[in-house]
Amino acid sequence: MTTSVSTPTAPPRHPPPAAARRSPAGPLLALLWAGAAAVVGLWWRDTGSVVGAAGWLTGAGRITGLLSGYACAVLVGLMARVPLLERRIGSDRVARWHAGAGRYTLRLLVAHVVLILAGYAAQDGSSILRETVTVVLDYPEMLKATAGTVLLFAVGFTSMRAVRRRVGHEFWYYVHLLTYAAVFLAFGHQLALGADFTGNEVAQLAWYALYLGVAALVVWFRVLTPIRLNLRHRLRVEAVYEEAPGVLSVVIRGRRLHGLGALPGQFFRWRFLAPGMRHTSTPYSLSAPPRQDRLRITVKALGDHSAAVARLRPGTRVWAEGPYGSLTAERRTGSKALLIAGGVGITPLRALFETLPGDVALLYRARTAEDLALRGELEAIAQWRGARLLYALGGPQGQRPDLTSESLRAAVPDIAERDVYLCGPHGFARELYEALRTAGVPDRRIHHESFEL
């Protein structure tokens, strides 16, 4: 591990740390579980004595149907990119919640379909196949609900890890958008056939409020807010230049960019309106603090979209959504911080290295010295701030640097007293998290955000 340390004659003065804002994750999860409990309460209230296998199967089909309907609303709400969730909880964490909710929704949906058809078949003394045909063709709203169910299964299938690795991001993204159509198609049958809603106006109004509220969040934050942002700020590419082998920076100019409210450490979803790129929206972090009329991102060529960045020309229009992300100064709990970057994970940490108040050190892991993107800027910032800048480089035969709890404590002896901001590939972040915990860093002081969404 090599170190670059220099101290200016007049070190900058930093304000004392502000108290870290409490994450709304706990209250939000409590609210979601309270909603699920209310759904179970509605089912329990309307469930009388259960008689025979048909009664048990139908009752189980009803509760799984109610819970899957509620989960669908939660699923869509987590896709709405609500700033409170994206910036205070973190886009990566919300994405994990969404993925988990999706898995539970599909399981509940499968259970609902199987149980309710089995219950109806037992009640009518019919085969499940014949009952299925009758329900789909003769029951109100069921053709649309069947189409919605098929779409949800298609979304779930393409979201499986093994499948997603084999399909392009664009294909996965547009199939994923079918979730909206699926939920819309399935909504009608919930009220038309749901025994728990029949004659219960309060339950019907609550269900409408739930779904209309979620729809309003989607329309506002996924449609109207991005339109307003891009009409107001009129973003265009100003310049593209190489930072390191396969690593490019893109400078984007616009009007009144202070109005975006972007913070160092955050990211936007960028859509470059150039041939071959206009149909893909990709998250890239700001690699420098936002300026009055310019933003900068730094991109490593890891896929078709990022590789195409090299072909961007000045003047290309840009469609952006954001800012998103919680990897900001607001998460710090004290006056000392350690930033640990792996590869292109340096981008948000470079912006924080310049702006984060207090005693800041940066550890940057890369394969070779040539792979150290933004190295000149980092060393200039370190000199200006009097900050520690450490490099962990691979060996001559490609060996990975040893970042263990012992080596981290040796490089930063007071590591247990620092907030640690961590950004890099998923495997790198997982390994470093374990090393940091072993080195004595409390979990609440380890701040990480993944862009593998």
Side-chain angles (χ1 to χ4, degrees):
M1 188 179 294
T2 59
T3 308
S4 173
V5 182
S6 56
T7 306
T9 55
R13 297 171 61 89
H14 299 296
R21 291 197 296 175
R22 187 185 183 94
S23 169
L28 177 61
L29 288 174
L31 179 63
L32 295 178
W33 282 111
V39 170
V40 174
L42 172 65
W43 169 80
W44 184 266
R45 174 184 175 275
D46 294 325
T47 300
S49 59
V50 180
V51 179
W56 283 104
L57 290 169
T58 303
R62 282 174 45 221
I63 184 56
T64 52
L66 283 170
L67 287 172
S68 64
Y70 173 73
C72 280
V74 172
L75 195 67
V76 174
L78 293 174
M79 293 172 65
R81 296 179 185 167
V82 179
L84 176 66
L85 308 186
E86 298 280 335
R87 303 178 191 180
R88 296 284 305 282
I89 296 175
S91 297
D92 61 334
R93 192 174 183 187
V94 174
R96 289 195 297 272
W97 287 0
H98 170 74
R103 288 189 289 271
Y104 280 110
T105 301
L106 289 175
R107 290 167 186 165
L108 287 167
L109 186 57
V110 169
H112 167 63
V113 171
V114 172
L115 291 168
I116 206 73
L117 289 175
Y120 286 173
Q123 182 177 304
D124 297 339
S126 173
S127 69
I128 290 183
L129 179 59
R130 180 176 295 178
E131 194 68 31
T132 300
V133 173
T134 300
V135 169
V136 171
L137 297 181
D138 296 342
Y139 282 39
E141 299 286 340
M142 275 307 303
L143 277 174
K144 291 193 296 185
T146 302
T149 301
V150 171
L151 290 179
L152 275 178
F153 284 140
V155 172
F157 177 75
T158 57
S159 297
M160 293 171 60
R161 188 170 300 176
V163 176
R164 188 173 175 183
R165 282 198 294 259
R166 290 171 169 78
V167 300
H169 176 79
E170 294 85 354
F171 178 82
W172 171 86
Y173 175 78
Y174 287 111
V175 170
H176 215 66
L177 290 180
L178 293 175
T179 302
Y180 298 125
V183 172
F184 173 77
L185 290 169
F187 177 74
H189 97 285
Q190 298 177 51
L191 297 180
L193 299 176
D196 302 281
F197 297 110
T198 303
N200 190 337
E201 293 186 359
V202 173
Q204 292 177 23
L205 289 174
W207 214 246
Y208 272 114
L210 172 65
Y211 272 77
L212 289 175
V214 168
L217 291 176
V218 171
V219 171
W220 184 261
F221 291 113
R222 295 209 63 164
V223 179
L224 299 181
T225 297
I227 290 175
R228 177 181 178 272
L229 182 156
N230 289 280
L231 289 178
R232 180 183 184 190
H233 299 290
R234 299 186 180 277
L235 303 174
R236 291 184 180 271
V237 172
E238 181 174 87
V240 180
Y241 52 90
E242 188 176 56
E243 297 283 3
V247 180
L248 300 167
S249 280
V250 183
V251 178
I252 298 161
R253 72 172 185 271
R255 304 186 306 179
R256 301 189 297 271
L257 297 185
H258 63 280
L260 291 170
L263 299 174
Q266 290 188 310
F267 68 94
F268 288 76
R269 299 177 191 272
W270 305 93
R271 187 188 304 273
F272 298 102
L273 304 185
M277 303 182 72
R278 63 179 68 246
H279 300 300
T280 303
S281 176
T282 306
Y284 296 125
S285 296
L286 299 176
S287 61
R291 308 300 184 192
Q292 179 79 13
D293 60 349
R294 285 174 176 78
L295 303 172
R296 190 186 73 179
I297 60 175
T298 301
V299 179
K300 184 172 184 177
L302 297 173
D304 293 342
H305 185 273
S306 53
V309 168
R311 299 195 296 271
L312 287 174
R313 295 292 176 262
T316 300
R317 291 179 59 192
V318 182
W319 185 272
E321 298 177 38
Y324 301 125
S326 61
L327 200 69
T328 67
E330 294 176 347
R331 294 181 68 171
R332 67 195 181 107
T333 63
S335 60
K336 296 181 178 182
L338 170 63
L339 315 178
I340 305 179
V344 79
I346 190 61
T347 52
L349 300 190
R350 180 262 177 251
L352 285 172
F353 193 42
E354 180 177 340
T355 59
L356 197 65
D359 178 354
V360 181
L362 171 63
L363 170 60
Y364 184 4
R365 192 183 84 170
R367 288 181 298 177
T368 67
E370 290 73 25
D371 293 317
L372 293 169
L374 309 172
R375 180 176 184 175
E377 295 181 12
L378 296 173
E379 293 180 351
I381 293 168
Q383 182 176 3
W384 167 71
R385 295 195 60 157
R388 280 180 285 175
L389 175 59
L390 303 97
Y391 300 130
L393 304 178
Q397 305 301 320
Q399 305 97 318
R400 296 174 61 184
D402 190 23
L403 293 180
T404 63
S405 57
E406 293 78 12
S407 64
L408 289 172
R409 276 195 296 257
V412 187
D414 59 351
I415 190 171
E417 303 171 14
R418 293 177 177 264
D419 284 284
V420 179
Y421 289 77
L422 180 60
C423 191
H426 180 69
F428 164 83
R430 184 174 61 248
E431 292 174 10
L432 262 293
Y433 175 83
E434 297 299 332
L436 289 167
R437 295 291 287 121
T438 304
V441 183
D443 181 75
R444 63 187 177 85
R445 289 186 181 169
I446 302 175
H447 314 303
H448 169 244
E449 198 158 49
S450 168
F451 298 98
E452 297 182 1
L453 307 180

